[in-house]
Amino acid sequence: MLNGKERYEGMSIKRIGILTGGGDCPGLNAVIRAVVRTAILKYNLEVVGFRNGYRGLYLGDYIPLTLESVSGILPVGGTILFSSNKDNLFNYPFVENGKTVYKDVSHVGVENIKKAGVDAMIIIGGDGTLTSGRDYARLGVNVIGVPKTIDNDLASTDQTFGFDTAVSVATEALDRLHTTAFSHHRIMVLEVMGRYAGFIALHAGIAGGADAILISEIPYDINKVAQAINRRRQQGKDFSVVVVAEGAKSIDGEMVVSKVIEDSPDPIRLGGIGNKVAADLEKLCGLEARATILGHLQRGGSPTAYDRILSTRYGSYAVELAMEGKFGNMVTLKGTEMSYDSLENVIGKNKAVDPNGELVRFAKNIGISFGD
Ligand code: F6P
């Protein structure tokens, strides 16, 4: 198979296709807008968008994307192309004789890309979506990936777009919980998303002045969390705020699963650990406790200014990379610069909080308990 550069030298890119897959995320529309504006204004290309992620690729369901279609979408949450986290064309479910069977229908996607006259695909997604992106690159499709997820758990990039917005929403929630915790002398527990990574909890916990941060990367001893809360009481602070990542687990427990979605490529949905932490702390500390599960509020709505800029950089750079023929790569943020890495390197190496890293150390320095 030819590599991206060789393929590019023999062809010219005239039409770009975009798709957004997986869970939605603030900044998706900002990426779409940046791709469309860069493609049209800088390179005079045409752009189409496949709808509902890979399902649109399977059905050949695409729409033209023009300057007009992306007008006004920069601050808007969600994705104008819709998304799906169920449609893996390499393992696509069909019901035959009352039974679900899985088939590889990826070739239909390749045919539909050709039929749509698309020379390069910009695939915006997290781990699952970009795994298929890598697999399409292996089939010879000209793919550039863009790293999306509020969880910030993708390898090779310092930050995914959407993460900053999720942290801001969680921080605001902590600020609001502080005042009610204070008024009622309560322990308020906030459960945040992040799947198996504790980035949202760690960052929001520091920004929102949490007294304890519980993350999957540092299994917690609930007695140690209770001790930290009791120490505060001895200092005259009879309220506490605790942030818990949905993937957190105690030293002798398991992650709490809220749902198993059979037809999803990644069927486990975490959730509910916040209720357990609140109940345990209420018993151990003798203070009333309440849990709030922040859920999809972290994914909805307008992206922060930071995410709008990061999304714009990612989208615009993705088109530049396509025009340079650097296919099979994902755009990345390295320090303050845009860069890229091979999808082969990115996939299967999810990023997690370093328990010995700088941010955890500084959080501990200022007295935040991780229950360890
Ligand atoms: O990956 C993004 C994310 O929001 C995770 O933080 C969360 O665990 C999961 O998706 C929720 O998925 P769903 O939208 O299917 O409930």
Side-chain angles (χ1 to χ4, degrees), residues 59-95:
L59 298 172
D61 177 10
Y62 65 88
I63 52 170
L65 290 175
T66 61
L67 294 177
E68 191 53 38
S69 34
V70 298
S71 172
I73 68 171
L74 174 64
V76 180
T79 160
I80 58 165
L81 292 176
F82 309 105
S83 195
S84 160
N85 55 10
K86 290 189 176 171
D87 299 288
N88 176 4
L89 302 191
F90 292 84
N91 196 29
Y92 203 62
F94 293 90
V95 178

Side-chain angles (χ1 to χ4, degrees), residues 22-25 85-86 126 148-151 153 192-197 200 246 258-259 261 264 266 268-271 295-296 298-299:
D24 71 343
C25 174
N85 55 10
K86 290 189 176 171
K148 165 240 72 163
T149 169
I150 62 164
D151 306 333
D153 60 353
V192 297
M193 282 184 164
R195 278 211 303 181
Y196 305 107
I200 299 176
E246 64 181 356
S258 70
K259 233 177 177 181
I261 302 176
S264 168
D266 185 6
I268 302 293
R269 293 295 179 277
L270 298 169
H296 292 80
Q298 292 157 98
R299 281 199 350 217

Side-chain angles (χ1 to χ4, degrees), residues 206-256:
I206 293 171
D211 303 299
I213 299 174
L214 308 183
I215 57 177
S216 56
E217 296 86 343
I218 307 177
Y220 66 87
D221 177 344
I222 197 70
N223 293 302
K224 292 199 174 153
V225 183
Q227 279 161 19
I229 290 173
N230 287 335
R231 271 198 301 277
R232 277 174 54 80
R233 286 183 83 184
Q234 282 153 17
Q235 293 156 7
K237 301 257 179 72
D238 57 359
F239 70 95
S240 281
V241 174
V242 177
V243 59
V244 186
E246 64 181 356
K249 57 175 187 275
S250 69
I251 44 174
D252 47 11
E254 295 295 324
M255 288 184 187
V256 178

Side-chain angles (χ1 to χ4, degrees), residues 25 125-128 130 147-163 193-200 203 216-217 246 266 270 330 345-353:
C25 174
D127 193 45
L130 293 179
K148 165 240 72 163
T149 169
I150 62 164
D151 306 333
N152 199 32
D153 60 353
L154 276 172
S156 292
T157 188
D158 290 350
Q159 194 158 323
T160 54
F161 76 85
F163 172 66
M193 282 184 164
R195 278 211 303 181
Y196 305 107
F199 291 107
I200 299 176
H203 286 246
S216 56
E217 296 86 343
E246 64 181 356
D266 185 6
L270 298 169
M330 180 184 85
N345 279 340
V346 173
I347 299 307
K349 292 186 202 151
N350 278 8
K351 202 168 68 177
V353 170

Side-chain angles (χ1 to χ4, degrees), residues 16 18 27-39 43 122 124 144-147 161 307-322 331 338:
I16 282 185
I18 312 179
L28 279 165
N29 282 329
V31 177
I32 295 169
R33 171 180 178 268
V35 169
V36 170
R37 290 183 68 90
T38 302
Y43 297 109
I122 294 184
I124 310 167
I144 303 287
V146 178
F161 76 85
D307 269 336
R308 294 180 199 188
I309 295 167
L310 183 60
S311 302
T312 300
R313 294 171 77 193
Y314 275 149
S316 193
Y317 189 53
V319 181
E320 288 185 357
L321 278 190
V331 291
M338 282 289 105

